[in-house]
PDB file of all heavy atoms in Angstrom:
ATOM      1  N   VAL A1018       3.558 -10.404  14.599  1.00  0.00           N
ATOM      2  CA  VAL A1018       4.070 -11.649  15.110  1.00  0.00           C
ATOM      3  C   VAL A1018       5.542 -11.749  14.968  1.00  0.00           C
ATOM      4  O   VAL A1018       6.309 -12.179  15.830  1.00  0.00           O
ATOM      5  CB  VAL A1018       3.238 -12.916  14.476  1.00  0.00           C
ATOM      6  CG1 VAL A1018       3.886 -14.180  14.983  1.00  0.00           C
ATOM      7  CG2 VAL A1018       1.851 -12.778  14.672  1.00  0.00           C
ATOM      8  N   GLU A1019       5.957 -11.267  13.861  1.00  0.00           N
ATOM      9  CA  GLU A1019       7.365 -11.431  13.464  1.00  0.00           C
ATOM     10  C   GLU A1019       7.744 -10.359  12.402  1.00  0.00           C
ATOM     11  O   GLU A1019       6.925 -10.047  11.642  1.00  0.00           O
ATOM     12  CB  GLU A1019       7.576 -12.881  12.869  1.00  0.00           C
ATOM     13  CG  GLU A1019       9.011 -13.206  12.558  1.00  0.00           C
ATOM     14  CD  GLU A1019       9.275 -14.676  12.346  1.00  0.00           C
ATOM     15  OE1 GLU A1019       8.262 -15.486  12.505  1.00  0.00           O
ATOM     16  OE2 GLU A1019      10.404 -15.059  11.996  1.00  0.00           O
ATOM     17  N   GLU A1020       8.951  -9.840  12.507  1.00  0.00           N
ATOM     18  CA  GLU A1020       9.308  -8.903  11.493  1.00  0.00           C
ATOM     19  C   GLU A1020      10.936  -8.980  11.375  1.00  0.00           C
ATOM     20  O   GLU A1020      11.646  -9.424  12.389  1.00  0.00           O
ATOM     21  CB  GLU A1020       8.975  -7.425  11.852  1.00  0.00           C
ATOM     22  CG  GLU A1020       9.590  -6.931  13.062  1.00  0.00           C
ATOM     23  CD  GLU A1020       9.179  -5.388  13.201  1.00  0.00           C
ATOM     24  OE1 GLU A1020       9.455  -4.595  12.317  1.00  0.00           O
ATOM     25  OE2 GLU A1020       8.647  -5.104  14.216  1.00  0.00           O
ATOM     26  N   GLY A1021      11.412  -8.657  10.176  1.00  0.00           N
ATOM     27  CA  GLY A1021      12.823  -8.785   9.974  1.00  0.00           C
ATOM     28  C   GLY A1021      13.214  -8.775   8.507  1.00  0.00           C
ATOM     29  O   GLY A1021      12.171  -8.526   7.614  1.00  0.00           O
ATOM     30  N   PRO A1022      14.286  -9.011   8.090  1.00  0.00           N
ATOM     31  CA  PRO A1022      14.752  -9.068   6.737  1.00  0.00           C
ATOM     32  C   PRO A1022      13.944 -10.224   6.032  1.00  0.00           C
ATOM     33  O   PRO A1022      13.572 -11.226   6.695  1.00  0.00           O
ATOM     34  CB  PRO A1022      16.234  -9.420   6.651  1.00  0.00           C
ATOM     35  CG  PRO A1022      16.697  -9.035   8.098  1.00  0.00           C
ATOM     36  CD  PRO A1022      15.518  -9.272   8.988  1.00  0.00           C
ATOM     37  N   PRO A1023      13.646 -10.130   4.665  1.00  0.00           N
ATOM     38  CA  PRO A1023      12.955 -11.095   3.978  1.00  0.00           C
ATOM     39  C   PRO A1023      13.563 -12.612   4.163  1.00  0.00           C
ATOM     40  O   PRO A1023      12.920 -13.560   4.263  1.00  0.00           O
ATOM     41  CB  PRO A1023      12.969 -10.742   2.509  1.00  0.00           C
ATOM     42  CG  PRO A1023      13.201  -9.316   2.567  1.00  0.00           C
ATOM     43  CD  PRO A1023      14.017  -9.020   3.765  1.00  0.00           C
ATOM     44  N   ALA A1024      14.980 -12.584   4.162  1.00  0.00           N
ATOM     45  CA  ALA A1024      15.546 -13.931   4.249  1.00  0.00           C
ATOM     46  C   ALA A1024      15.205 -14.655   5.546  1.00  0.00           C
ATOM     47  O   ALA A1024      15.202 -15.843   5.672  1.00  0.00           O
ATOM     48  CB  ALA A1024      17.117 -13.817   4.218  1.00  0.00           C
ATOM     49  N   GLN A1025      14.965 -13.837   6.595  1.00  0.00           N
ATOM     50  CA  GLN A1025      14.632 -14.456   7.957  1.00  0.00           C
ATOM     51  C   GLN A1025      13.175 -14.747   7.927  1.00  0.00           C
ATOM     52  O   GLN A1025      12.730 -15.861   8.227  1.00  0.00           O
ATOM     53  CB  GLN A1025      14.915 -13.495   9.049  1.00  0.00           C
ATOM     54  CG  GLN A1025      14.504 -13.996  10.411  1.00  0.00           C
ATOM     55  CD  GLN A1025      14.237 -12.774  11.338  1.00  0.00           C
ATOM     56  OE1 GLN A1025      15.152 -11.983  11.434  1.00  0.00           O
ATOM     57  NE2 GLN A1025      13.157 -12.685  12.011  1.00  0.00           N
ATOM     58  N   VAL A1026      12.236 -13.676   7.703  1.00  0.00           N
ATOM     59  CA  VAL A1026      10.727 -13.911   7.951  1.00  0.00           C
ATOM     60  C   VAL A1026      10.211 -14.918   6.952  1.00  0.00           C
ATOM     61  O   VAL A1026       9.401 -15.713   7.322  1.00  0.00           O
ATOM     62  CB  VAL A1026      10.037 -12.509   7.774  1.00  0.00           C
ATOM     63  CG1 VAL A1026       8.571 -12.744   7.975  1.00  0.00           C
ATOM     64  CG2 VAL A1026      10.625 -11.663   8.920  1.00  0.00           C
ATOM     65  N   ILE A1027      10.666 -14.829   5.594  1.00  0.00           N
ATOM     66  CA  ILE A1027      10.054 -15.689   4.587  1.00  0.00           C
ATOM     67  C   ILE A1027      11.024 -17.000   4.466  1.00  0.00           C
ATOM     68  O   ILE A1027      10.529 -18.063   4.315  1.00  0.00           O
ATOM     69  CB  ILE A1027       9.926 -14.985   3.295  1.00  0.00           C
ATOM     70  CG1 ILE A1027       9.076 -13.721   3.379  1.00  0.00           C
ATOM     71  CG2 ILE A1027       9.561 -15.911   2.158  1.00  0.00           C
ATOM     72  CD1 ILE A1027       8.950 -12.939   2.162  1.00  0.00           C
ATOM     73  N   GLY A1028      12.284 -16.762   4.506  1.00  0.00           N
ATOM     74  CA  GLY A1028      13.159 -17.913   4.301  1.00  0.00           C
ATOM     75  C   GLY A1028      13.370 -18.789   5.502  1.00  0.00           C
ATOM     76  O   GLY A1028      13.567 -20.043   5.256  1.00  0.00           O
ATOM     77  N   ALA A1029      13.421 -18.225   6.754  1.00  0.00           N
ATOM     78  CA  ALA A1029      13.619 -19.064   7.932  1.00  0.00           C
ATOM     79  C   ALA A1029      12.802 -18.466   9.096  1.00  0.00           C
ATOM     80  O   ALA A1029      13.389 -17.923  10.030  1.00  0.00           O
ATOM     81  CB  ALA A1029      15.114 -19.064   8.260  1.00  0.00           C
ATOM     82  N   PRO A1030      11.513 -18.508   8.988  1.00  0.00           N
ATOM     83  CA  PRO A1030      10.663 -17.844  10.044  1.00  0.00           C
ATOM     84  C   PRO A1030      10.905 -18.525  11.404  1.00  0.00           C
ATOM     85  O   PRO A1030      11.128 -19.717  11.506  1.00  0.00           O
ATOM     86  CB  PRO A1030       9.215 -18.018   9.553  1.00  0.00           C
ATOM     87  CG  PRO A1030       9.375 -19.147   8.549  1.00  0.00           C
ATOM     88  CD  PRO A1030      10.694 -19.156   7.882  1.00  0.00           C
ATOM     89  N   ARG A1031      10.883 -17.657  12.428  1.00  0.00           N
ATOM     90  CA  ARG A1031      11.025 -18.196  13.784  1.00  0.00           C
ATOM     91  C   ARG A1031       9.770 -18.610  14.455  1.00  0.00           C
ATOM     92  O   ARG A1031       9.840 -19.433  15.397  1.00  0.00           O
ATOM     93  CB  ARG A1031      11.747 -17.068  14.626  1.00  0.00           C
ATOM     94  CG  ARG A1031      13.128 -16.667  14.032  1.00  0.00           C
ATOM     95  CD  ARG A1031      13.622 -15.452  14.772  1.00  0.00           C
ATOM     96  NE  ARG A1031      14.933 -15.084  14.330  1.00  0.00           N
ATOM     97  CZ  ARG A1031      15.510 -13.890  14.670  1.00  0.00           C
ATOM     98  NH1 ARG A1031      15.022 -13.146  15.513  1.00  0.00           N
ATOM     99  NH2 ARG A1031      16.778 -13.627  14.097  1.00  0.00           N
TER     100      ARG A1031
END
Side-chain angles (χ1 to χ4, degrees):
V1018 176
E1019 185 168 353
E1020 65 176 303
Q1025 174 204 310
V1026 177
I1027 299 176
R1031 298 172 179 171

